[in-house]
Amino acid sequence: MSITRSPSPEAPVTEPAATGVLLVGHGSSHEPDAAGTIEGHARPLAERLRPMPVRHAVLNGAPRLEDAVEGLKDLDRLLVLPMFMCDGYLATGLLRDRLAKPMADGRIRLYPPLGMAPEIAGLVRQVTRETIADAGWRGKNVDLVLVAHGSSKDGASRRATERLINGMPPLAGVAKVRAAYLEEAPFLADVVAGLDRSTVVLGLFAAHGPHATED
């Protein structure tokens, strides 16, 4: 028989630690609306997590990362989620450097970038299936091209894209999945020039910036 002991009257009653969430994106010092997409994520997340505070910040432009962290300094824990598609320099090196001082007291937890989450593969599959259905391509073989930023100086974007492709189970109706990049080979223009059947093109970008909408 087990006996459950009640706490003694003298035992202190501890309140749950106050926790907040901070979404951090790239931003831009030239585009005033660069933080719009990340703000659009923060708003519904705040509704779901209420009363937990949810804020957003960017590395370039406003709202500044340092200002957002300062505004949440009274919290016991701050969960920081980088809204980037790979674990490159911006999402790891630069962000960690700028958080170094506030992270020293141990209350900040920096998570891996959004694009590294295993759920991204399921989201890609869902969007691909919906696109095939909307285009009326069911029953025929199509290709899927995943477009990422890429970089000749940092291989993180390529590694994340290849990891995503290699980890995705076969998708019904999709004959081939290939990668294309904006700033390294295989370049998007070259991949598009070689397409020979109906193709779904999906950009691996965290926001509706110029790369995702214009390039």
Side-chain angles (χ1 to χ4, degrees):
M1 181 177 70
S2 63
I3 299 176
T4 302
R5 297 183 182 274
S6 300
S8 64
E10 294 79 17
V13 178
T14 57
E15 294 293 334
T19 301
V21 176
L22 179 62
L23 308 183
V24 182
H26 186 285
S28 170
S29 57
H30 306 293
E31 297 288 339
D33 297 329
T37 298
I38 190 171
E39 181 182 6
H41 287 299
R43 213 179 303 119
L45 186 60
E47 290 293 325
R48 294 182 63 179
L49 297 180
R50 184 179 292 183
M52 181 184 295
V54 178
R55 304 289 186 268
H56 70 283
V58 292
L59 298 179
N60 298 283
R64 292 179 66 249
L65 172 63
E66 289 77 9
D67 294 340
V69 173
E70 176 66 19
L72 298 168
K73 66 181 180 181
D74 293 333
L75 296 174
D76 296 318
R77 285 194 299 260
L78 181 58
L79 313 179
V80 179
L81 175 61
M83 301 291 283
F84 294 87
M85 295 305 295
C86 69
D87 55 352
Y89 169 69
L90 293 178
T92 56
L94 180 58
L95 179 55
R96 188 173 292 276
D97 287 346
R98 290 179 59 173
L99 287 175
K101 187 174 180 180
M103 284 180 68
D105 61 10
R107 73 182 185 93
I108 292 181
R109 178 173 180 181
L110 180 60
Y111 281 83
L114 172 70
M116 306 303 291
E119 291 82 1
I120 293 295
L123 183 59
V124 168
R125 291 168 60 83
Q126 176 185 336
V127 172
T128 301
R129 284 194 295 264
E130 292 173 353
T131 304
I132 290 174
D134 291 344
W137 292 343
R138 279 180 175 158
K140 60 189 294 188
N141 284 334
V142 304
D143 285 347
L144 170 61
V145 175
L146 299 180
V147 185
H149 188 282
S151 172
S152 59
K153 300 178 181 178
D154 185 348
S157 179
R158 171 184 288 275
R159 289 193 300 270
T161 305
E162 291 176 348
R163 172 176 170 270
L164 175 61
I165 292 175
N166 294 333
M168 279 200 310
L171 186 57
V174 175
K176 186 174 183 179
V177 182
R178 65 183 82 182
Y181 304 96
L182 300 181
E183 294 194 0
E184 67 173 297
F187 292 99
L188 175 59
D190 296 332
V191 172
V192 169
L195 297 179
D196 55 6
R197 61 179 143 212
S198 300
T199 303
V200 175
V201 180
L202 179 59
L204 299 177
F205 300 95
H208 294 289
H211 289 317
T213 58
E214 299 174 15
D215 296 340

